Amino acid sequence: MSQKITGIAASEGIAIAPVYLLVDPVLTYEKVTIDNVQEELARLNTAVDQAKGEIKKIRHHAQQQLGEDEAQVFDAHLLVLEDPEYLTQIQQVVEEEQVNAELALDQVTATYIQMFEAMEDNPYMQERAADLKDVSQRLLAALLGVELPNPSTIDHEVIVVAHDLTPSDTAQLNKKHVKAFVTEVGGRTSHSAIMARSLEIPAIVGATGILDHVQQGQKLIVDAIKGEAIVDSDAEELKTYQEEQISYQDQRRQLQALIDVKSATKDGKEIEIAANIGTPKDLAGVKANGADGVGLYRTEFLYMDAKNLPSEDEQYAAYRQALCEMHPKGVVVRTMDIGGDKSLPYLDLPKEMNPFLGYRAIRISLDRQEMFKTQLRALLRASVHGNLKIMFPMIATVEEFRKAKEIFQQAQRELQAEGIEVSQTIELGIMIEIPAAAVLADQFAQEVDFFSIGTNDLIQYTMAADRMNEQVAYLYQPYHPAILRLVHHVIQASHQAGKWTGMCGEMAADPIAIPLLLGLGLDEFSMSASSILPTRKLVSEWTTAQAQELAQKAITECATAEEVVKLVRDFEAS
Ligand code: PEP
Ligand code: MG
C-alpha cells in the first residue's frame, strides 16, 4: 500500500526519482583506551587523506556549478587539514593519553574553537572557527566510516528530502539532477521555497514526518501541484503520475505562445507582469518566460553567497548585468534585506527571540550606514546602464524612508563630485510589508515614487502568523478581507497621489488573488519566472469591469477568506 505525506506545494511540478536524504548523520563514539598507538595514528592518517579527497571533490563540483569564488571556501577547509600544528596536537593526545583518535580530535578541536570564538570582534577568527567545525565533522565521519551528505556532489537524478534546507543549501542544488525537494518544515514564503520557484525545481515544504517514511534510494513521487509526496507506489499509481507529469509539461509548452504577448486584460487594459530574482543567474529564466521587467531583485543573496561583505565593484558588476540584460525594461532593486530567515554569519548579528520582528533589512542598513552607502553607490554607478528603480524593505515609518533617501542623495552627490556619471531619474519606492506603512500609505505616497506590496511579510504581520511556521499556516490567509482592504487602501492612496503600486509577494501569482488584485487596480504583478505565463493567460481572461465588480464585493461583503474564495469561484463559473 502506498502512503501519502502531505505538505505545502511550494514550487509547482511533478517529479519521480529516488530519494536523496540530506540529514545530519549521527556521529557518536565511545572513549576507548588503545594498546597499539601506531595503528591508531595510521587510522587517523587514512581518515585525514579521505577527508582531503572528499573536500577536493566538493571543491571541484562547487567550482563547476557555482564558480571559483564559491569554491574558494573549500581551500580554507583543506588548509585546516594541512595545518601541522593541529594534526600534531591530535597525534600527541593519542600518544600521551592512549585514547582513540575520535576523542583526541574532539578535544583538540574544542580547544581551538573556544580560542577562536573568544575573539568575538574578529570576523576572520569567527570564520576560522566555522571552517574548523565543518572540517572536524568531516574527519570524525571519516574515522567512524560514516558518509556525510553533500548536495553539491549529486550527479544523478534524485529527490532531496530534508528536515529543512537553508537558502544556501538550496542554492547548491543542481537543477539537472535534483528533480524536486521535500522538507519537513517551512512555508510557501520561506526563502528556500521562493528559491525553488526561481530555480524551477518542484518542491513541497512543511511535509511533517516525511523523514520517518522514506529511505535513501527509495522511489518517491512528488506531486508539487497538490502538495503530496507518495512512497511505496504501485505500478498503476506510478503510471498515473507519469501521465500527469506529461500533461503538466504539455500545458507548460502551450503557454510558450504567450511569451511575446502584451500583458493585458480582455478589454485591453495593460498591466505589468514582472519577475522576482535573487541573482543575475535567474535572468535566463526571466527572459525565457517573457517578463515585462524585474519587479524585485532580492540583493541580499549577493551578500549571502559571499564570505565577506561584497565590495562596491562586485555589487556594481551584478547590478549592471541585471540592468543591461533587461534593458529597456525596468529593474526594481531592493536594498539588502538580511535578517528573519536570511542570516549572514560574517556580520555576527545577535541571536534574537523573534528574528522577523527584529534587526532586519532597512533597520540594519540605517544602523550600518557605511555598508548601506556601498550598496547605494554601486547601484548609482550601475544606473546609467538601464532602467533602475530602487526600493527599501521593511519600512515602518516615514522617517526611515526620509533617512534612507538622504543617504541615497549623499551617495549621489559624492559620486558626482568624483566625476562619475549617475542617472538623475531613478524612482525611489518602498516595500509595503508592515501594516503601519500600509495604513499610512496616503502620507507615504506624498514622498515616495512607488509602492511594492510585500505580502509575504504583510500577511504574517497583519495576521500575527510566522510565515515559516507550518503550525500556524492556516492563519496565513492572502484572501482574508483584512488583507484585501489593506491592499486596496495602498493602491488607492498611490493613485490619488499619481503614483503606482506593484506587488512582489507570492500573492501576486496566486490564481485566486489575481482577479481580485486586478479589480483593486494593482499596476504591476511581480513573481517567480515560472508563474509569469500562467498569470498572463489568466489576466487576459478577465475584463476590468468584471474584476472591479468582484473586488468591490470581496472588500465590502465578505467576512472570511473562505467567503472570498467562494466569491471568486462562483464568479468564474458564471
Ligand atoms: C515580501 O515580504 O512579500 C517580499 C517580497 O519580501 P521577502 O519575501 O524577501 O521578505
Ligand atoms: Mg519581505
Side-chain angles (χ1 to χ4, degrees):
M1 260 281 278
S2 68
Q3 262 190 313
K4 269 189 190 151
I5 298 106
T6 54
I8 300 161
S11 173
E12 218 181 69
I14 295 177
I16 305 167
V19 167
Y20 180 93
L21 287 176
L22 197 60
V23 287
D24 289 335
V26 186
L27 298 177
T28 51
Y29 61 88
E30 305 262 309
K31 175 180 179 179
V32 182
T33 309
I34 48 150
D35 305 327
N36 190 335
V37 169
Q38 287 319 314
E39 221 172 72
E40 194 61 6
L41 292 178
R43 200 167 71 83
L44 175 64
N45 279 340
T46 312
V48 171
D49 287 344
Q50 183 188 323
K52 275 194 209 168
E54 286 172 9
I55 296 171
K56 283 182 190 156
K57 209 165 136 191
I58 297 170
R59 191 203 188 285
H60 176 71
H61 276 272
Q63 204 250 351
Q64 304 250 302
Q65 280 177 32
L66 305 165
E68 181 58 28
D69 282 359
E70 309 271 340
Q72 277 173 7
V73 56
F74 299 105
D75 292 338
H77 287 193
L78 277 174
L79 281 180
V80 173
L81 287 180
E82 277 157 11
D83 176 356
E85 206 179 321
Y86 177 57
L87 292 179
T88 311
Q89 284 192 31
I90 301 172
Q91 285 161 351
Q92 271 171 2
V93 175
V94 172
E95 279 165 352
E96 287 163 17
E97 299 182 23
Q98 300 216 315
V99 290
N100 46 335
E102 287 86 345
L103 186 75
L105 165 69
D106 267 353
Q107 267 186 21
V108 174
T109 308
T111 324
Y112 272 86
I113 287 178
Q114 236 175 8
M115 188 169 77
F116 290 161
E117 287 186 339
M119 302 183 215
E120 267 177 28
D121 306 332
N122 187 332
Y124 176 78
M125 284 305 173
Q126 299 291 325
E127 245 177 63
R128 295 288 74 78
D131 288 342
L132 193 57
K133 274 186 205 162
D134 206 317
V135 175
S136 63
Q137 282 295 94
R138 182 163 300 285
L139 188 50
L140 183 59
L143 281 166
L144 294 169
V146 174
E147 203 183 322
L148 291 181
N150 190 306
S152 69
T153 56
I154 297 173
D155 57 3
H156 56 285
E157 290 200 353
V158 294
I159 290 172
V160 167
V161 180
H163 176 66
D164 192 12
L165 285 178
T166 62
S168 58
D169 287 333
T170 314
Q172 287 185 54
L173 302 180
N174 181 347
K175 194 177 145 186
K176 193 164 141 216
H177 304 306
V178 178
K179 296 289 136 192
F181 73 75
V182 185
T183 60
E184 291 197 306
V185 299
R188 234 192 97 74
T189 58
S190 57
H191 284 95
S192 303
I194 289 170
M195 287 174 79
R197 288 193 285 281
S198 288
L199 293 164
E200 300 188 49
I201 298 180
I204 300 178
V205 298
T208 317
I210 179 98
L211 287 171
D212 300 331
H213 291 92
V214 296
Q215 278 165 10
Q216 185 79 330
Q218 184 180 15
K219 179 167 281 172
L220 187 68
I221 300 174
V222 167
D223 178 346
I225 299 168
K226 291 204 204 88
E228 291 172 350
I230 297 108
V231 242
D232 295 329
S233 50
D234 54 33
E236 202 175 317
E237 256 175 327
L238 194 61
K239 190 161 164 273
T240 312
Y241 279 102
Q242 279 163 342
E243 283 164 9
E244 281 193 26
Q245 192 177 25
I246 292 170
S247 111
Y248 175 76
Q249 282 159 355
D250 274 354
Q251 275 174 28
R252 295 285 326 173
R253 258 190 296 277
Q254 281 166 22
L255 285 170
Q256 299 290 310
L258 298 179
I259 287 184
D260 295 320
V261 171
K262 274 208 169 80
S263 305
T265 56
K266 205 170 175 177
D267 55 318
K269 180 180 179 236
E270 282 187 32
I271 51 141
E272 193 166 318
I273 304 182
N276 294 348
I277 63 167
T279 97
K281 284 185 216 150
D282 297 337
L283 290 168
V286 171
K287 288 186 286 184
N289 284 283
D292 299 325
V294 167
L296 167 63
Y297 177 175
R298 287 184 166 92
T299 56
E300 52 276 10
F301 290 108
L302 204 64
Y303 292 68
M304 288 157 70
D305 282 350
K307 292 226 89 186
N308 304 296
L309 281 175
S311 68
E312 185 181 311
D313 283 347
E314 280 162 348
Q315 295 193 51
Y316 164 72
Y319 305 147
R320 190 183 64 175
Q321 186 186 345
L323 287 164
C324 288
E325 284 198 34
M326 291 310 292
H327 188 75
K329 294 175 178 171
V331 177
V332 182
V333 179
R334 174 175 80 181
T335 59
M336 75 86 186
D337 178 7
I338 292 298
D341 63 337
K342 290 175 284 196
S343 65
L344 206 57
Y346 57 81
L347 260 199
D348 198 21
L349 299 175
K351 275 247 166 312
E352 297 181 310
M353 293 281 282
N354 292 302
F356 275 107
L357 297 182
Y359 191 55
R360 188 185 161 188
I362 197 69
R363 301 166 184 190
I364 302 181
S365 294
L366 294 180
D367 188 40
R368 304 191 184 201
Q369 292 188 12
E370 275 315 301
M371 184 170 123
F372 188 39
K373 182 103 62 79
T374 303
Q375 177 165 39
L376 293 172
R377 281 178 59 97
L379 280 166
L380 278 156
R381 279 173 54 198
S383 64
V384 290
H385 297 286
N387 177 0
L388 171 69
K389 304 174 203 337
I390 298 176
M391 66 181 171
F392 305 118
M394 292 288 291
I395 293 282
T397 69
V398 171
E399 290 94 326
E400 282 172 335
F401 173 71
R402 287 182 187 151
K403 187 82 213 151
K405 184 172 175 180
E406 193 184 304
I407 299 169
F408 168 82
Q409 286 169 336
Q410 263 173 28
Q412 201 165 26
R413 282 194 298 272
E414 273 174 26
L415 283 165
Q416 279 164 336
E418 289 166 33
I420 296 168
E421 201 192 337
V422 300
S423 162
Q424 298 298 332
T425 55
I426 304 169
E427 289 186 24
L428 283 190
I430 60 166
M431 299 271 299
I432 298 278
E433 296 171 287
I434 297 179
V439 171
L440 207 63
D442 52 331
Q443 291 296 333
F444 276 104
Q446 307 304 315
E447 308 196 22
V448 306
D449 295 316
F450 67 94
F451 293 133
S452 183
I453 307 178
T455 48
N456 304 342
D457 280 312
L458 185 64
I459 298 170
Q460 80 163 342
Y461 297 135
T462 307
M463 303 297 291
D466 188 334
R467 64 194 265 188
M468 304 286 286
N469 185 339
E470 67 281 3
Q471 275 184 300
V472 293
Y474 77 96
L475 278 170
Y476 200 88
Q477 300 180 1
Y479 330 118
H480 192 292
I483 302 293
L484 297 179
R485 287 188 193 189
L486 274 180
V487 169
H488 180 224
H489 174 66
V490 173
I491 297 172
Q492 263 193 327
S494 71
H495 289 177
Q496 270 160 14
K499 312 287 167 70
W500 61 273
T501 296
M503 179 179 286
C504 57
E506 296 304 309
M507 183 175 172
D510 183 319
I512 299 275
I514 289 167
L516 293 161
L517 298 170
L518 264 183
L520 295 175
L522 191 71
D523 303 289
E524 178 233 41
F525 296 62
S526 192
M527 58 196 66
S528 314
S530 59
S531 298
I532 288 172
L533 297 176
T535 303
R536 188 167 287 155
K537 179 163 183 287
L538 182 57
V539 165
S540 73
E541 289 162 359
W542 284 79
T543 65
T544 317
Q546 283 169 335
Q548 279 171 347
E549 188 189 333
L550 174 80
Q552 199 55 32
K553 278 208 167 105
I555 56 171
T556 53
E557 294 173 16
C558 292
T560 66
E562 208 178 312
E563 284 174 27
V564 173
V565 175
K566 185 168 179 310
L567 189 74
V568 178
R569 296 236 159 95
D570 289 351
F571 219 96
E572 277 170 342
S574 68

